[in-house]
Amino acid sequence: MLPSARLTALPGGDHRLHGARRPVDLVAAGWSEVEYTAEGLARAPSGQEAAYVVRVLVRRPPDEFASGTLCAEWLNVSSGAEAAPEWTYLADELIRRGHSWAGVSAQVVGVAGGSGSVAVDGGAPSVSPGLVGTDPERYGHLVHPGDAWCHDIYVQISRAVRDLVSASLVLAVGESQSACMLARHLVSVHGLESPFGGYLVHSRAGSIPPPVPEGTQHTMADVLAQLPGRLPDDLVPTLVVQTETDVIGRMWSLPARQPDGPRLRTWEVAGTAHADKFQIDAFEELLGCPTPVNRGQQVYVLRAGLRDLEDWARGGDAPPAAQPLVVEGVEGAESYAVDELGNSRGGVRTPAVEVAVERLSGFAPEGASLICQLFGSTTPLPAESLRERWGSVGEYLSAYAAATEAAIAGGFVCPEDRQAILSESRPDLLTGP
């Protein structure tokens, strides 16, 4: 029998896995949320075994509405505390499709503490106390041996939750540092005994983390210091979703660009940033950024990507192919080719860039803090130039609606998100001075 974590339900309490957006009302949706202790004996790439006791948060629909799909999110620890950015982006799709979700504490810093990679307040990263130090009464019994064991911990917990919720398909999902770890997982960990039938790799760096860190934990600085690496294209259905920040920005995935393969698709999404307004919501001002953060529509592309990936992993057609973002310039001075309004050309096109009334960028002004660089920017455009480009408000709304239908028809937006996207049109920007 393959090794699997032992799950023990924790009593109700604060699981400390909260996002900036208003939480989804799981009770109203008929869903359950249970936090478990997950324990077992993990194996490092060296063969050395170590005991672990971590946690996993499981959100699931009633059995009669369950799709049989589990999304196992590798929780992000770049801030030093655990976060679930993919849950934030994908919750609506998960709930309407009936997919279970598990937030897996795979890395040591989120459990036992350590150095963060980026500070949420824009200052210097601090040393995190982890769950153990933050709430010793609830989590004092947790033990993580270090990130040399993180991949096997992730696998064992995903197997256990798969069995718990009776899932017939497990999809591995992760964003940013977690996406980098999934890239390493694909390169050297995934095998015939893997529980994962597909991977959603969101905002990976071009570099791939080493199999084990030099110290106890992986940090983004260590990850970005590695050489660029490509992903296997014939191993397992894999969808890579990249923003402008990821391709030629801090994550620098350009050197690792590769063509689509039998089991690999890459979507580079125009007008998007590594993180954005949808993720930070009402807490945008706390970032202290010099300009409004990116207001692109990657959330809708991610939801469609998850749907396409699930269908692909269950034997359906591969997700649609997408053209890459258009990059120009000499090596070391690359930039995006832009249209008359300054928005990037190529890539997956959402209505916000196809019928643009703002300049949406994956970059912040020079001198902005690291956190603001990751959140990109939104720049207002003169109403006069917008009227010249789009004509009347009626013509603009017609073009915006047509772009929405094109994105849906192309497979890059779910039909259920039609009204949400249409509500994001900005006719008011054409009527200004």
Side-chain angles (χ1 to χ4, degrees):
M1 181 179 294
L2 298 173
S4 179
R6 296 184 299 279
L7 301 180
T8 304
L10 287 167
D14 185 1
H15 52 64
R16 301 183 179 275
L17 194 60
H18 310 292
R21 296 189 66 83
R22 183 187 299 274
V24 176
D25 190 342
L26 294 174
V27 174
W31 279 45
S32 65
E33 177 184 79
V34 180
E35 187 179 20
Y36 296 88
T37 291
E39 59 184 303
L41 192 65
R43 185 183 297 269
S46 66
Q48 183 180 0
E49 293 184 329
Y52 67 89
V53 185
V54 298
R55 67 88 177 260
V56 57
L57 184 65
V58 178
R59 294 166 177 163
R60 58 189 293 197
D63 290 343
E64 61 268 28
F65 296 115
S67 67
T69 294
L70 167 67
C71 291
E73 179 169 357
W74 186 306
L75 293 177
N76 182 281
V77 294
S78 293
S79 70
E82 291 182 328
E86 296 301 76
W87 168 263
T88 299
Y89 283 122
L90 298 172
D92 281 8
E93 173 70 0
L94 294 169
I95 290 172
R96 66 195 178 199
R97 300 288 283 187
H99 301 336
S100 297
W101 174 89
V104 181
S105 294
Q107 290 183 252
V108 64
V109 62
V111 176
S115 299
S117 296
V118 58
V120 174
D121 61 3
S126 60
V127 176
S128 164
L131 291 170
V132 172
T134 302
D135 189 347
E137 182 175 351
R138 183 173 182 82
Y139 298 115
H141 64 293
L142 301 187
V143 177
H144 195 302
D147 283 350
W149 289 269
C150 64
H151 291 282
D152 199 30
I153 290 173
Y154 180 60
V155 165
Q156 290 191 25
I157 294 175
S158 297
R159 282 197 190 112
V161 179
R162 175 198 62 192
D163 296 341
L164 174 73
V165 303
S166 300
S168 56
L169 173 66
V170 185
L171 300 176
V173 302
E175 196 263 350
S176 190
Q177 183 177 165
S178 302
C180 297
M181 302 308 297
L182 291 183
R184 165 51 63 188
H185 204 87
L186 280 161
V187 168
S188 62
V189 180
H190 183 93
L192 294 176
E193 297 178 345
S194 172
F196 306 114
Y199 289 75
L200 177 58
V201 180
H202 176 204
S203 288
R204 65 161 288 210
S207 51
I208 295 179
V212 298
E214 289 189 8
T216 303
Q217 69 173 96
H218 287 286
T219 67
M220 277 307 300
D222 293 337
V223 171
L224 296 174
Q226 307 303 308
L227 294 174
R230 291 187 168 191
L231 303 181
D233 66 1
D234 59 356
L235 184 63
V236 61
T238 301
L239 177 63
V240 180
V241 179
Q242 298 291 88
T243 71
E244 290 184 5
T245 321
D246 306 324
V247 179
I248 63 172
R250 174 174 170 78
M251 303 300 278
W252 193 234
S253 67
L254 182 65
R257 256 187 181 174
Q258 62 189 106
D260 289 343
R263 296 191 176 184
L264 176 70
R265 290 288 184 274
T266 298
W267 292 356
E268 296 176 358
V269 189
T272 58
H274 189 78
D276 56 21
K277 174 64 174 178
F278 187 90
Q279 188 70 233
I280 196 66
D281 199 33
F283 292 89
E284 177 180 0
E285 291 187 3
L286 297 181
L287 300 177
C289 298
T291 57
V293 303
N294 182 276
R295 281 155 168 75
Q297 295 174 322
Q298 72 167 307
V299 57
Y300 304 114
V301 178
L302 284 165
R303 292 174 186 171
L306 178 64
R307 182 171 300 188
D308 289 346
L309 176 64
E310 192 221 2
D311 185 57
W312 192 17
R314 289 193 178 278
D317 293 335
Q323 62 175 318
L325 293 164
V326 180
V327 177
E328 58 186 11
V330 299
E331 184 176 351
E334 293 89 349
S335 62
Y336 290 118
V338 297
D339 61 19
E340 296 85 348
L341 297 181
N343 285 307
S344 297
R345 296 187 181 275
V348 175
R349 313 293 294 177
T350 62
V353 291
E354 196 69 357
V355 189
V357 290
E358 297 170 305
R359 184 176 300 123
L360 299 168
S361 174
F363 304 98
E366 186 176 352
S369 67
L370 173 56
I371 191 69
C372 292
Q373 292 174 35
L374 295 175
F375 272 85
S377 61
T378 299
T379 303
L381 298 169
E384 182 179 354
S385 67
L386 296 178
R387 288 192 292 267
E388 290 176 357
R389 185 174 182 88
W390 302 120
S392 67
V393 166
E395 290 172 310
Y396 159 72
L397 290 174
S398 178
Y400 187 92
T404 300
E405 295 306 319
I408 293 171
F412 298 111
V413 170
C414 296
E416 295 92 331
D417 287 326
R418 177 184 284 107
Q419 290 306 313
I421 287 189
L422 290 175
S423 73
E424 293 181 1
S425 64
R426 297 293 308 275
D428 56 301
L429 297 181
L430 277 73
T431 59

